[in-house]
Amino acid sequence: MCTARKAAILLASFLAIGGTVNAQGIPVEYSNDQDEEAVAGGGAHGVPDPEQVLFTLPPDAVGGPHPSDIVDYGRPEQVDALANGEDAYFSGVVNNTADLLVSFAGDPGGNAVWFETPAGATGILWTQVDFSNPDPPGNFEDTDGLELWGPLNGSDADFFSEVGDPGPPIGGCSVVTIRPPCGIPPALPLCCFIPRAAIVATVVSLGYTGPTELIELDALMVQRACPFGASFGPGDRIIFSIRDTTGGGASFDGGEIIVLPFGAPAFFLLHGGHLWNTAFNVAGTFGVATEEVDSIEGKRGSSAASRRNMLVLLDRTGSMVEMRSTNNTRCEDALETAMDDVRDFFIANPFGSVSVWTFTGTGPTDLTGGFVNEAAAVAALNTLTPDDCSGATPLAEAICAASDAITAAFPLAAPGDRVLAISSDGGENNSTGQCAGPDSVSGPPYDAGSWQRLVSDKLAAQNVTLVRQWGALARAGLSGDGDAAEFRAGTVSDETFFQDIATSSGGSYVFIDDSNTAIPPVTIGSCCLPDNRCASVSQFMCEGLGGTYGGDGAVCVQGQCVLIMGDIDGDRDVDGDDMSLFVMVLLGIDTGNPAHIPPCDLNEDCSIDGRDIQAFVEARLSF
């Protein structure tokens, strides 16, 4: 009873400050330009204080309690960007399912924070008065760093950047962290999470021209992988922008928002129906007199998840006529399996669409003339003769053309909603165009300019990739003909390449040996999809679409896949019993039941902390 009463008090107090997911009651840490102290008791900002971060709980009003001092990093620099290592709604911003929040240089029109919805609607979230009750108005200068969803009684801005990117005492650091063992402010040393050189290289890779000394990180979100590493590493991602460089004769205007995954190519954020690149008209879209984004954050949006679409790329080249133990050629069995994959895709994505492509020695062919429904896709596959495979293998050319086609057809979709399903035995030997190149002698990562590097870079930015590899030419005893990279000494094998492009994108890979008589047909089982539906599909399709496979022959049971966030006791609702359990998990009292952890992580940032309270309140009120 005592625990339940404590939970009720905690959550009731949160409701009292506006515990619904809207513009009210959101804990905010921010920096002003220039960094300043808050006046005791709220009101106007006080004396300059380098690296002083402030706290507010908008909307406020003149004479209200905020802002207040929250943390001081203890260095003589100016804070330029703020983030938490598990930024809430990071994935939602990248996947275009959450609102993007931004501030602009100079807070145009006295407005502190703006929003863009996934559908592209824009507006003002908080004015300066809402944000920090400047008294008199105009005393507040510029929202220069922004971190939302932290606790009410402490700072969680454990990543930041400084004006000029000087960083720790060694200098040359764009993203600094105070996360232990780096020390708690004002203790030193601080740790350099991402050096400035990496940010410069990233910006240049996206087409920046001009003096690189002008490149300076200006806004930041961070997502660490679980479990968390000590520095930028596998699974980590950041979103960032840089200051306007056009005044110095360079090409980026500060309106570019860039996503940088560790170990993969960076790309411009696709949100609100457009890329946040230099061509995007920030000023015209938001009605401001600047292009420069000063801070970045996320807020839960209301849009429904986007549908998936798939392009099937079927190898019909000469090596696919090799006989298998099924007494069929690879060509025939791959065609039958493609039929199964199309069927499975539409079972899992009833509102999706499919395009069917093939490639032979003359290049790729679009059989469906675009993206069609299941009946039309199957009809296109039925036009193919089972054993009519011939010619050389323009593998790289075909993959890149197919990737570009699905991206052009669905430019507003997140990369994870554009699925490229490749069915091939490899053997690149005949490509021309944008992805043609020599073999890579190592990788991944692959040699610069190699066809493997060109293909993998394109796929990483554009698609989830699924690969069925039908044997290998080496296994077919065809060595010496020079047809496949696998036969050229000291080069990357097709198996390595295919497995890499699939798994690195979150897709799926399967090697189908010629001696394997179990395929076709494919075996199906229950699959819990990311949207909590259950579908009877193959393991290949299930895992390629981000699902969890229940096993061959497993049958879907109603409701088996639905994880109700906040339903800690598993009784299919969110009530007072769950509130008690939530608080016990939150406070570290309940540590013995692993099943209690996932439904408590309501903002899906790998941590159970104060930032999950607001989402729990919303879940509780929905029942």
Side-chain angles (χ1 to χ4, degrees):
M1 276 304 278
C2 290
T3 303
R5 186 170 184 276
K6 288 179 181 178
I9 292 171
L10 172 64
L11 296 178
S13 67
F14 189 78
L15 282 169
I17 61 170
T20 54
V21 181
N22 54 32
Q24 300 194 10
I26 299 175
V28 177
E29 295 171 65
Y30 70 100
S31 63
N32 187 28
D33 184 12
Q34 300 287 309
D35 297 340
E36 295 173 336
E37 296 276 357
V39 172
H45 294 85
V47 299
D49 183 0
E51 301 213 336
Q52 176 64 59
V53 178
L54 304 176
F55 174 84
T56 188
L57 200 64
D60 215 328
V62 173
H66 301 110
S68 58
D69 293 348
I70 188 70
V71 66
D72 190 324
Y73 298 124
R75 284 167 44 80
E77 311 296 335
Q78 294 288 317
V79 172
D80 208 16
L82 296 169
N84 177 265
E86 298 88 59
D87 261 329
Y89 310 121
F90 184 106
S91 294
V93 169
V94 173
N95 295 332
N96 197 38
T97 58
D99 291 349
L100 172 67
L101 306 184
V102 293
S103 69
F104 298 117
D107 283 8
N111 298 305
V113 180
W114 305 65
F115 69 85
E116 178 184 73
T117 70
T122 61
I124 300 164
L125 185 68
W126 294 310
T127 67
Q128 287 186 343
V129 172
D130 292 334
F131 198 54
S132 62
N133 59 78
D135 186 11
N139 187 58
F140 183 70
E141 298 169 10
D142 188 3
T143 308
D144 202 33
L146 194 61
E147 163 56 21
L148 274 61
W149 310 109
L152 297 176
N153 58 353
S155 172
D156 77 341
D158 49 12
F159 289 78
F160 66 98
S161 184
E162 298 171 328
V163 173
D165 292 359
I170 58 172
C173 185
S174 288
V175 182
V176 183
T177 182
I178 61 170
R179 177 163 290 189
C182 298
I184 303 299
L188 293 176
L190 304 173
C191 290
C192 184
F193 185 62
I194 301 180
R196 181 178 178 276
I199 297 298
V200 170
T202 297
V203 173
V204 170
S205 75
L206 291 174
Y208 172 91
T209 58
T212 57
E213 59 267 24
L214 298 176
I215 296 174
E216 178 186 343
L217 190 141
D218 195 32
L220 180 67
M221 291 184 74
V222 177
Q223 183 184 65
R224 308 291 302 280
C226 303
F228 305 125
S231 59
F232 194 51
D236 294 345
R237 300 188 293 176
I238 68 168
I239 306 171
F240 72 96
S241 69
I242 67 170
R243 291 203 172 211
D244 183 3
T245 64
T246 57
S251 59
F252 276 26
D253 58 20
E256 302 85 2
I257 299 181
I258 298 166
V259 183
L260 174 60
F262 178 85
F267 54 93
F268 292 113
L269 177 68
L270 176 62
H271 189 278
H274 61 88
L275 288 173
W276 279 78
N277 56 11
T278 310
F280 173 53
N281 184 357
V282 173
T285 301
F286 287 86
V288 296
T290 181
E291 293 289 313
E292 184 176 330
V293 172
D294 240 6
S295 57
I296 305 168
E297 254 292 356
K299 184 174 76 70
R300 179 171 294 177
S302 59
S303 65
S306 54
R307 68 178 187 176
R308 282 193 166 112
N309 302 278
M310 181 172 76
L311 191 152
V312 176
L313 181 62
L314 192 58
D315 186 341
R316 304 279 290 174
T317 63
S319 57
M320 292 290 285
V321 300
E322 183 67 22
M323 295 297 297
R324 304 184 67 243
S325 296
T326 57
N327 293 320
N328 298 325
T329 62
R330 294 173 181 171
C331 186
E332 182 175 354
D333 284 352
L335 177 57
E336 182 176 342
T337 304
M339 299 269 196
D340 290 339
D341 287 341
V342 168
R343 178 209 65 199
D344 283 357
F345 177 81
F346 279 105
I347 290 173
N349 299 272
F351 301 106
S353 62
V354 164
S355 180
V356 177
W357 285 35
T358 62
F359 67 97
T360 64
T362 58
T365 300
D366 178 359
L367 292 185
T368 49
F371 288 80
V372 297
N373 61 22
E374 181 177 2
V378 170
L381 289 168
N382 278 327
T383 65
L384 298 173
T385 303
D387 291 327
D388 188 18
C389 289
S390 62
T393 306
L395 178 66
E397 177 184 343
I399 293 176
C400 286
S403 177
D404 285 344
I406 190 171
T407 302
F410 303 100
L412 306 186
D417 293 329
R418 298 190 292 252
V419 181
L420 177 59
I422 302 168
S423 184
S424 173
D425 63 357
E428 158 61 42
N429 65 3
N430 194 44
S431 288
T432 60
Q434 60 173 324
C435 290
D439 298 314
S440 180
V441 300
S442 62
Y446 307 105
D447 299 340
S450 66
W451 67 268
Q452 290 99 330
R453 175 67 172 273
L454 297 169
V455 172
S456 62
D457 284 355
K458 179 178 289 289
L459 296 181
Q462 297 188 161
N463 312 108
V464 166
T465 305
L466 285 57
V467 180
R468 289 191 183 275
Q469 183 180 359
W470 293 89
L473 297 182
R475 288 180 172 78
L478 302 177
S479 57
D481 64 0
D483 281 349
E486 293 185 5
F487 310 138
R488 293 188 275 273
T491 62
V492 173
S493 72
D494 286 330
E495 289 175 71
T496 296
F497 171 70
F498 280 144
Q499 189 166 11
D500 172 54
I501 61 173
T503 57
S504 65
S505 70
S508 57
Y509 166 84
V510 61
F511 179 87
I512 307 170
D513 195 273
D514 287 337
S515 63
N516 183 350
T517 59
I519 297 179
V522 300
T523 304
I524 64 173
S526 64
C527 174
C528 286
L529 295 163
D531 60 3
N532 298 323
R533 291 182 299 111
C534 188
S536 296
V537 298
S538 68
Q539 182 176 0
F540 173 76
M541 187 59 64
C542 175
E543 294 178 352
L545 297 177
T548 301
Y549 192 58
D552 291 348
V555 178
C556 284
V557 177
Q558 185 176 9
Q560 76 180 68
C561 298
V562 179
L563 172 63
I564 299 176
M565 299 304 287
D567 176 26
I568 295 98
D569 61 6
D571 64 354
R572 315 304 298 163
D573 62 15
V574 182
D575 55 18
D577 294 334
D578 297 299
M579 185 166 62
S580 300
L581 291 171
F582 176 73
V583 172
M584 287 193 290
V585 173
L586 182 69
L587 299 179
I589 298 171
D590 179 359
T591 59
N593 191 336
H596 288 175
I597 303 302
C600 285
D601 184 19
L602 286 95
N603 69 349
E604 300 177 283
D605 66 355
C606 308
S607 299
I608 314 299
D609 54 29
R611 287 166 295 169
D612 295 296
I613 295 176
Q614 185 158 350
F616 181 86
V617 171
E618 184 186 58
R620 174 70 183 90
L621 295 177
S622 69
F623 280 87

